[in-house]
Amino acid sequence: MKKEAILEFKGISKKFGKQTVLSNVSFSIYENEIFGLLGRSGAGKTTLLHILLGLVEEDKGVILYKGRKIRPNSFAMKKKIGFAAQDTSFYPKLSVEENLWYYGRMYDVKRKVLKERITRLLELFSLQRARKVSASKLSGGMKRRLDLAICLIHDPDIIILDEPTTGLDIILSDQIWDMIKRIKEVGKTVIISSHILHQMQQHCTTFGILDQGMFYDHKGLYSFAKKHKIKSLERLFVKFLQ
Amino acid sequence: MIMQTFLNTWKNLKNIFRSWVSMSMLIIGPLLIIAILAFSFSSSGFRNVKLGYVNEAEFEMDSLVDSLSYMGKFYPYTNLDVCKDKLMRQALHGCLHIRSLGGDRVGIEAHFDNGREIISLILLENLKSAVIEKENVIVESATEGMLSQVSSVALLMDEGEALLYEMINSLEVQRRQLVDARARIHDAETKYDNALYDAHRNYDSLIVNSGEYGEDAVDEIESARTRVTNTITMMHNLRSTALYLNDSYTADQISSNINYLEDIEDDLWTLQYNVQSDMGVYKSRLGDVDDILDDADDAQVYFDDALRELNTMIITLDSRLVSLRSTKDKIYEQKNKMKEVAGMGTDALLHPFEFEYKPLFSGSKRINKEITPAVAEISEEKKRDLINYGSTQILFPLIIAILVCFIAVILSNIIVLDEMHSPAYFRGFLIPAFRQVFTASLFLTSFVIMFLQIGVLLLVAHYSFYLDVFENIWTILPVVVLIGVVFSLYGMIIAYAVKNKASSLLVCTFLLVITFILSGTIFPIERMSAFMSALAGSLPFSVSVSMLQQSLFYGIPLSQMGNQFGLLLVHVVFTAIVLAIVRFISELRKGRLV
């Protein structure tokens, strides 16, 4: 059965001044997959993600959500998307539970539902014992987990993770990837931008590369890898960009 | 170690000078403050000062008003309470109650709002100077008047002296004339008496002689004698005839008659002689009488002359008398004036005004109620404390406004900056909520904290400093809330415009410094230039201080401060619009707004 595209980018272009950051970018992301967005620094990955999050407006093109044209900054779309960046984004002086409760209510989640969801997320991210602890007192790994929990508090369909493991040690990185897999397991679609290619190769179900504003999807990349007999994503990335 | 210290200092200076906001605040800021000060106080004099006066003494105000016209406008009132009511509402800067202290002394009670102490004291100082100046003018004028009177008296005395000299000379001349006239009258009188005596004597003689003789008698005697002679002649003829006729008897008879007639003729001759002789004497006497009459005529002339001279002298004396009476009246008038001046007394002469300061606010109602003797006895110490509180209370509207401004600006600025620098700030853009929700919540956050602090401040003012806070709470609260809102919005605007915490606080401090400079608390608004005075007078800080003063000191309700309240509302709306614009620009600049 053919998977239904949850997101479709069609001809997205964006310029900052005279600099073209995105040029006619078109690709699709399917439900319940982990999509890896690759590209060197300044390739436009964050801009593309910000367009999807409604933080930056595209100059041209449309985004379709489940086949329908959407405005990414609409409230309805914001409720469909969860986001976690390399830097955690929550209130350090609030406790873990207070942060979850605050964001849950801000996303207009009903109190009863929210209470259950907080319990479930705390279990999912192993934060039960820290629920009353001030967020500023959490360890680095727990902060990342709390950030992911907040990202899921409104039960979004799409999770966007921008460099989720950058700067983390290998153990914490594994924990985060473990969490991402769990997120996928609960039926979410995950979009990840990262430089850590071996992790991407290991965990992403599909991916694409942004370079000089152009997008190259996994089909083209597979053909390229096959043609050049490249098995490692890292090698493919280097060779492709060369 | 020294090298490291210098290196760090160098690095710090670089950091500071590479922030344009810090640079602006550190370099342009002080220059701007100096420029504002220079612009504010570029012209001397007063702006929008209004003074009322109640002139019960019917004192001539024009010159005083003229001399104080540089300060502001003067408005006459018939009732002191109405004037003081305007003063309480800050529609006036002072009320002069001018009343008579008896005589020419005037009492000036200067009622002033000690809540607006600085401008009041400056105005009072100017007023006092003007009154002293006026006093000097009056003293000078009185002295000039006195000198003029003295000069008039001296002139009068000169005139009197001249008049007296003239009078003396005139009287001496007249005396001499009178003496002459008296001598002449005396001569005339003697002559007249002699003439009268002679006249009487001659008259008597004439009377005597005129009874026996007369001119007619002489003629008649002569006629009779002639007839007798004729008869004798005829008798001779008859005797001749008789002798011719030889009638000797008849002749003899005739001769005898002739002899008789000749005797008669002789007698008539004698009589005629005697009468003629007597007539000579009579004529001589008539000549004497004529002489006497001439003398009498001369005496009459003397008398007429003397009478004329006397009339002239009377006219001269009458004229002198008129002059003397006029001089007497003038002396009387001057004497009264001198008496009047002498009756004024030295104090009234040197100090025609009694100037008295009357501060409007003498402590809150609660303090006055406590220290009134009718209320339960309180110790002297407590009473003294309460009176001291009364003088401290004057500062409270200003203290409340300052604290609210400080808290509002700094707190809202810090809260917004904390939020903007919070790691969670970014996530706020992902939440399905309007950006205004976050701005409003930030405002509410700072407002709640500020409100708590205001509450504590008002409680302290009420319970510890005996201010009438609860009595006027429905005026104080809206004013404090509005000023808090305006300054909270200021703090938020600065935070959105200047995101660096240190620079933002620097801008807040700069704003507060400018606010205080233009608030009238340090430099009176009324002394600023026309434009700056109008600007400063409509700034929220000065408006709120004015409203708090009216409310806390005099219990004036909010309904009677509609204009000022409206102005605060306008500030709130205007500042809110500016905040919305600045926030929009700030987020647009960050590229986080679609």
Side-chain angles (χ1 to χ4, degrees):
Chain A
M1 192 179 83
K2 193 183 176 186
K3 276 187 179 178
E4 191 186 346
I6 193 165
L7 277 175
E8 290 172 72
F9 294 85
K10 289 191 173 175
I12 301 292
S13 298
K14 180 70 187 174
K15 277 186 179 179
F16 287 117
K18 288 182 179 177
Q19 190 193 353
T20 302
V21 180
L22 298 172
S23 175
N24 200 24
V25 172
S26 299
F27 67 97
S28 299
I29 298 169
Y30 296 91
E31 270 187 294
N32 200 25
E33 70 175 13
I34 299 173
F35 179 84
L37 187 60
L38 309 174
R40 64 178 100 188
S41 293
K45 302 189 294 294
T46 303
T47 303
L48 187 66
L49 293 180
H50 281 187
I51 287 172
L52 184 57
L53 288 167
L55 299 175
V56 177
E57 195 173 15
E58 68 278 9
D59 296 336
K60 279 183 187 172
V62 291
I63 300 171
L64 302 179
Y65 172 75
K66 292 185 177 174
R68 286 163 64 181
K69 188 183 171 186
I70 49 127
R71 280 194 311 115
N73 65 335
S74 66
F75 286 0
M77 202 55 210
K78 281 184 175 180
K79 285 182 181 178
K80 303 284 181 197
I81 297 172
F83 178 79
Q86 181 182 350
D87 299 319
T88 54
S89 185
F90 49 76
Y91 291 100
K93 284 177 185 168
L94 297 183
S95 69
V96 170
E97 191 174 26
E98 282 168 342
N99 265 302
L100 288 167
W101 183 264
Y102 165 73
Y103 282 110
R105 293 296 295 146
M106 286 303 286
Y107 275 100
D108 205 20
V109 181
K110 302 283 180 238
R111 286 168 185 272
K112 199 177 169 185
V113 176
L114 182 61
K115 208 172 174 183
E116 287 170 10
R117 194 171 293 165
I118 287 170
T119 310
R120 195 154 50 81
L121 285 170
L122 288 173
E123 275 176 30
L124 183 68
F125 292 102
S126 309
L127 288 166
Q128 304 97 315
R129 292 173 67 187
R131 64 189 300 162
K132 300 288 180 193
V133 176
S134 169
S136 61
K137 290 180 180 168
L138 296 175
S139 65
M142 287 168 95
K143 282 179 180 169
R144 288 289 173 110
R145 278 184 274 155
L146 172 61
D147 208 38
L148 285 173
I150 290 169
C151 170
L152 293 169
I153 193 69
H154 56 293
D155 194 24
D157 292 342
I158 302 157
I159 314 296
I160 300 170
L161 304 173
D162 190 8
E163 308 284 355
T165 55
T166 306
L168 298 182
D169 62 39
I170 188 72
I171 298 165
L172 280 176
S173 289
D174 281 349
Q175 281 180 4
I176 294 302
W177 279 112
D178 190 40
M179 298 299 155
I180 292 167
K181 277 196 276 183
R182 286 192 207 175
I183 292 166
K184 183 187 176 296
E185 280 164 15
V186 293
K188 309 294 178 194
T189 304
V190 182
I191 302 168
I192 299 175
S193 149
S194 178
H195 289 103
I196 306 167
L197 298 177
H198 70 275
Q199 290 176 348
M200 296 285 272
Q201 187 178 11
Q202 192 180 344
H203 301 290
C204 291
T205 51
T206 178
F207 51 85
I209 288 179
L210 266 174
D211 186 50
Q212 293 177 348
M214 303 292 284
F215 182 81
Y216 304 93
D217 68 4
H218 64 282
K219 288 176 189 166
L221 290 171
Y222 284 148
S223 307
F224 186 81
K226 206 172 176 180
K227 187 181 172 186
H228 293 88
K229 295 176 182 172
I230 298 168
K231 289 185 179 177
S232 149
L233 185 61
E234 281 178 14
R235 285 287 307 144
L236 171 66
F237 186 73
V238 173
K239 189 75 181 172
F240 183 76
L241 293 183
Q242 281 173 350
Chain B
M1 190 177 143
I2 293 169
M3 189 272 287
Q4 286 171 328
T5 308
F6 280 123
L7 202 62
N8 265 301
T9 309
W10 177 239
K11 177 262 298 174
N12 293 339
L13 286 171
K14 270 184 172 176
N15 276 335
I16 289 168
F17 287 117
R18 281 176 186 173
S19 159
W20 69 269
V21 179
S22 300
M23 278 285 286
S24 306
M25 288 301 104
L26 292 171
I27 296 167
I28 301 168
L31 293 175
L32 197 62
I33 288 175
I34 292 167
I36 288 170
L37 276 171
F39 187 55
S40 299
F41 303 99
S42 56
S43 60
S44 58
F46 295 87
R47 304 280 174 276
N48 302 319
V49 170
K50 293 172 185 171
L51 292 157
Y53 65 89
V54 181
N55 191 357
E56 283 177 4
E58 293 181 357
F59 174 70
E60 190 275 303
M61 283 293 291
D62 289 351
S63 59
L64 188 65
V65 168
D66 279 350
S67 63
L68 286 169
S69 58
Y70 72 95
M71 271 170 60
K73 287 182 180 170
F74 279 77
Y75 298 90
Y77 288 88
T78 49
N79 188 312
L80 181 63
D81 289 335
V82 175
C83 193
K84 280 166 75 175
D85 187 58
K86 293 262 185 186
L87 182 60
M88 285 176 192
R89 288 163 206 276
Q90 303 196 354
L92 291 175
H93 287 82
C95 267
L96 301 180
H97 183 206
I98 299 157
R99 57 200 172 83
S100 175
L101 296 176
D104 283 343
R105 285 204 85 197
V106 170
I108 299 178
E109 282 178 0
H111 296 267
F112 67 99
D113 184 4
N114 42 334
R116 291 176 283 165
E117 206 162 24
I118 296 174
I119 183 63
S120 294
L121 290 178
I122 291 173
L123 289 175
L124 284 174
E125 192 59 37
N126 279 270
L127 202 61
K128 184 78 191 280
S129 301
V131 169
I132 288 171
E133 202 175 306
K134 173 76 178 167
E135 198 169 61
N136 289 338
V137 169
I138 288 175
V139 169
E140 202 174 306
S141 165
T143 312
E144 269 175 15
M146 280 170 65
L147 288 174
S148 164
Q149 279 173 17
V150 169
S151 173
S152 297
V153 169
L155 205 65
L156 207 62
M157 288 174 86
D158 279 348
E159 280 177 20
E161 193 185 17
L163 198 66
L164 285 172
Y165 273 124
E166 263 182 52
M167 287 288 291
I168 289 166
N169 290 335
S170 174
L171 286 171
E172 279 175 351
V173 169
Q174 282 164 16
R175 189 181 176 281
R176 277 198 299 276
Q177 285 174 341
L178 281 170
V179 167
D180 288 349
R182 190 181 64 183
R184 272 183 285 171
I185 288 168
H186 190 68
D187 286 349
E189 192 184 20
T190 309
K191 283 180 181 173
Y192 190 76
D193 282 349
N194 290 337
L196 208 61
Y197 173 75
D198 289 344
H200 276 297
R201 192 168 51 83
N202 290 322
Y203 179 74
D204 288 346
S205 173
L206 276 174
I207 292 298
V208 170
N209 294 321
S210 67
E212 294 175 33
Y213 309 108
E215 287 283 349
D216 290 343
V218 172
D219 288 341
E220 279 173 12
I221 290 165
E222 196 173 351
S223 171
R225 189 186 54 83
T226 306
R227 279 189 310 266
V228 168
T229 304
N230 290 336
T231 306
I232 289 167
T233 305
M234 278 186 307
M235 287 298 274
H236 273 293
N237 289 335
L238 280 166
R239 192 185 63 95
S240 300
T241 307
L243 283 166
Y244 180 72
L245 288 164
N246 302 320
D247 191 352
S248 61
Y249 179 69
T250 304
D252 289 338
Q253 277 298 149
I254 293 168
S255 291
S256 153
N257 283 327
I258 288 169
N259 289 338
Y260 179 68
L261 282 173
E262 282 175 350
D263 285 344
I264 290 170
E265 191 188 19
D266 289 341
D267 285 347
L268 281 173
W269 272 109
T270 307
L271 183 60
Q272 189 181 352
Y273 174 78
N274 286 341
V275 168
Q276 276 178 338
S277 171
D278 286 346
M279 278 302 287
V281 172
Y282 179 70
K283 279 181 181 171
S284 165
R285 291 294 176 268
L286 274 177
D288 288 345
V289 169
D290 276 345
D291 288 345
I292 290 162
L293 285 174
D294 284 345
D295 285 347
D297 283 344
D298 287 346
Q300 188 63 46
V301 169
Y302 285 142
F303 282 135
D304 285 347
D305 286 348
L307 207 61
R308 233 183 345 265
E309 280 175 17
L310 284 172
N311 277 339
T312 309
M313 278 187 279
I314 285 166
I315 288 165
T316 310
L317 283 172
D318 280 349
S319 146
R320 292 288 177 270
L321 211 58
V322 167
S323 299
L324 274 174
R325 278 191 185 129
S326 161
T327 308
K328 189 209 83 177
D329 287 346
K330 284 181 187 170
I331 287 170
Y332 180 77
E333 197 183 324
Q334 291 301 324
K335 180 197 76 182
N336 283 344
K337 281 183 184 171
M338 298 288 272
K339 271 186 181 174
E340 216 172 273
V341 171
M344 277 173 76
T346 318
D347 199 38
L349 192 67
L350 295 176
H351 305 291
F353 294 121
E354 189 178 285
F355 198 84
E356 211 178 337
Y357 297 111
K358 291 270 181 183
L360 206 59
F361 180 68
S362 58
S364 64
K365 285 180 190 170
R366 291 179 66 211
I367 281 185
N368 287 319
K369 198 176 166 187
E370 287 280 334
I371 59 175
T372 182
V375 178
E377 283 181 15
I378 55 167
S379 67
E380 279 302 312
E381 197 182 349
K382 174 79 174 168
K383 195 174 174 179
R384 202 167 48 245
D385 284 348
L386 286 171
I387 292 168
N388 284 340
Y389 284 144
S391 45
T392 314
Q393 285 177 338
I394 287 173
L395 297 171
F396 256 84
L398 186 63
I399 291 170
I400 291 171
I402 287 173
L403 287 176
V404 169
C405 292
F406 253 104
I407 294 166
V409 170
I410 305 290
L411 189 72
S412 62
N413 187 262
I414 287 172
I415 287 173
V416 172
L417 286 173
D418 271 353
E419 176 66 20
M420 288 168 74
H421 290 278
S422 156
Y425 184 62
F426 178 76
R427 193 172 288 284
F429 289 91
L430 307 176
I431 290 171
F434 292 106
R435 293 305 302 158
Q436 289 83 346
V437 169
F438 294 95
T439 310
S441 66
L442 287 170
F443 168 73
L444 272 177
T445 310
S446 70
F447 188 75
V448 166
I449 298 168
M450 187 191 68
F451 200 77
L452 287 173
Q453 290 181 312
I454 289 167
V456 171
L457 194 67
L458 292 179
L459 286 174
V460 169
H462 187 83
Y463 288 111
S464 300
F465 288 91
Y466 288 84
L467 270 160
D468 303 322
V469 173
F470 289 160
E471 203 174 307
N472 303 302
I473 193 73
W474 298 117
T475 304
I476 295 165
L477 216 52
V479 173
V480 170
V481 166
L482 283 189
I483 181 78
V485 168
V486 172
F487 277 87
S488 293
L489 295 174
Y490 283 167
M492 292 175 74
I493 290 168
I494 293 168
Y496 278 115
V498 184
K499 291 181 182 64
N500 179 279
K501 278 187 178 179
S503 301
S504 204
L505 278 173
L506 205 59
V507 176
C508 286
T509 312
F510 182 69
L511 172 84
L512 288 169
V513 168
I514 291 175
T515 300
F516 292 134
I517 287 172
L518 299 179
S519 68
T521 51
I522 306 167
F523 310 107
I525 290 170
E526 291 82 353
R527 297 302 300 261
M528 293 177 187
S529 61
F531 173 75
M532 289 305 281
S533 174
L535 178 75
S538 56
L539 288 178
F541 186 85
S542 48
V543 172
S544 59
V545 170
S546 163
M547 290 177 83
L548 287 172
Q549 283 171 340
Q550 292 176 64
S551 168
L552 275 170
F553 296 160
Y554 311 117
I556 292 170
L558 193 64
S559 58
Q560 292 180 18
M561 295 187 274
N563 289 344
Q564 288 179 307
F565 190 71
L567 196 58
L568 278 185
L569 281 175
V570 168
H571 275 289
V572 170
V573 173
F574 176 75
T575 321
I577 292 168
V578 173
L579 172 66
I581 294 167
V582 171
R583 188 193 57 80
F584 181 82
I585 293 168
S586 162
E587 291 181 354
L588 195 66
R589 207 171 53 189
K590 275 278 179 186
R592 285 174 178 169
L593 193 80
V594 176

